[in-house]
Amino acid sequence: MKNKNRLKTGILSILALFLLVTSSPAAHAHGYPEPTYPEPGWIRYDDVYGEIYYFGDGYHRTTHARNYMGGVSTVDDTQGKGFRFNFTGSKIRLITSMSPEHAKDLTLILDGVEYPYSQFAQINSWQQHSFVKTDLSNGEHSLLVIGKSAGRLALDAVDLDENAKLYYYDGFHPLVIPGDSQVTLSWYPIPRAVSYTIERTNTYTGQVTTVSSAVYGTQFVDTGLENDLQYKYRLYAKVDNHRVIIFSKLYSAIPRKPLPSLLPN
């Protein structure tokens, strides 16, 4: 009987020691974190959410039990590659894996302001807060991450305000003003853009025309249009010596003749 009690006590001691070691902060610091979920006040979007746009060849999804929802979007050669999206709210966190193989030198552009950004770490780790910004104005924001050198780039999830939304990226926010047989477009400059391209779609015929492929300012007037016909415009920015092309949503405009004045001459 005493031997059975000793055996039972020994098994319980080993189990307790195992639980203590695997749940300790030291174990988590060495790359074995518990699955994390956003605390109250945040909402989480997984890396496969459709409004996140990944650009550049070679992106793939790596499955791993320690990633949020079991997977992470990653690319191994980051140069000229990255991801982008728009979001609402006043705060953001990027959830990523980090390791010695991840890129040290990345560019993160938030609302036109460039921030130093790295996913490098001395040890393999998962579900890390690689970028946090909690003092934004409450509104719509644009985020763009571009790789500049060798190394891995990953995205596991995005945390936002609990009532915030994540949208397709559009860093242009153009102002589109129709006039008599013309449309004027003006937009915010895209950081490090070397030139812009304007593309127009005739909604009646479906014809797509490149109106200009070398705009160097932030305004363009498209003339010679047919009044009372809807046109749609898309803007492209060539960034970093043409390595990255950023494009906007489609924006509509209908040129019209001005109404005759009702005032007597």
Side-chain angles (χ1 to χ4, degrees), residues 60-251:
H60 58 280
R61 196 157 195 266
T62 302
T63 57
H64 198 297
R66 298 186 187 114
N67 293 126
Y68 178 71
M69 302 300 288
V72 59
S73 295
T74 184
V75 64
D76 293 325
D77 178 13
T78 67
Q79 190 167 12
K81 302 169 186 177
F83 56 85
R84 57 183 185 254
F85 53 83
N86 277 20
F87 65 97
T88 60
S90 61
K91 57 186 180 182
I92 183 172
R93 295 190 301 215
L94 296 184
I95 314 299
T96 69
S97 53
M98 302 178 74
S99 78
E101 288 76 37
H102 281 66
K104 291 183 178 180
D105 190 13
L106 298 164
T107 295
L108 187 150
I109 300 171
L110 176 58
D111 294 337
V113 179
E114 187 171 326
Y115 295 85
Y117 180 51
S118 172
Q119 293 185 357
F120 175 85
Q122 295 291 343
I123 58 173
N124 293 338
S125 52
W126 291 264
Q127 299 186 57
Q128 301 298 304
H129 296 167
S130 60
F131 179 79
V132 180
K133 187 75 171 170
T134 59
D135 57 353
L136 298 170
S137 61
N138 192 15
E140 184 167 353
H141 308 279
S142 298
L143 183 139
L144 169 68
V145 172
I146 304 175
K148 296 191 292 184
S149 59
R152 186 177 302 155
L153 174 62
L155 180 64
D156 196 358
V158 180
D159 283 355
L160 303 175
D161 275 327
E162 58 183 343
N163 296 316
K165 301 292 184 183
L166 194 152
Y167 297 101
Y168 177 81
Y169 177 91
D170 186 2
F172 288 90
H173 303 295
L175 182 63
V176 182
I177 303 174
D180 185 4
S181 301
Q182 68 178 37
V183 171
T184 301
L185 301 98
S186 58
W187 57 91
Y188 292 112
I190 299 297
R192 304 213 305 267
V194 294
S195 67
Y196 301 92
T197 295
I198 313 294
E199 190 177 85
R200 180 186 67 216
T201 301
N202 183 317
T203 57
Y204 180 72
T205 64
Q207 181 180 5
V208 179
T209 303
T210 299
V211 182
S212 178
S213 59
V215 179
Y216 298 100
T218 55
Q219 186 176 46
F220 182 82
V221 181
D222 189 17
T223 59
L225 303 176
E226 183 177 343
N227 282 333
D228 302 313
L229 181 65
Q230 185 185 56
Y231 296 89
K232 292 187 177 181
Y233 292 88
R234 192 187 299 278
L235 287 74
Y236 297 81
K238 297 176 182 177
V239 179
D240 282 348
N241 197 25
H242 306 269
R243 284 187 300 143
V244 179
I245 296 180
I246 301 168
F247 53 91
S248 75
K249 302 175 186 176
L250 284 169
Y251 290 87

Side-chain angles (χ1 to χ4, degrees), residues 30-43:
H30 285 80
Y32 297 93
E34 294 292 329
T36 62
Y37 299 94
E39 61 272 28
W42 295 84
I43 187 173

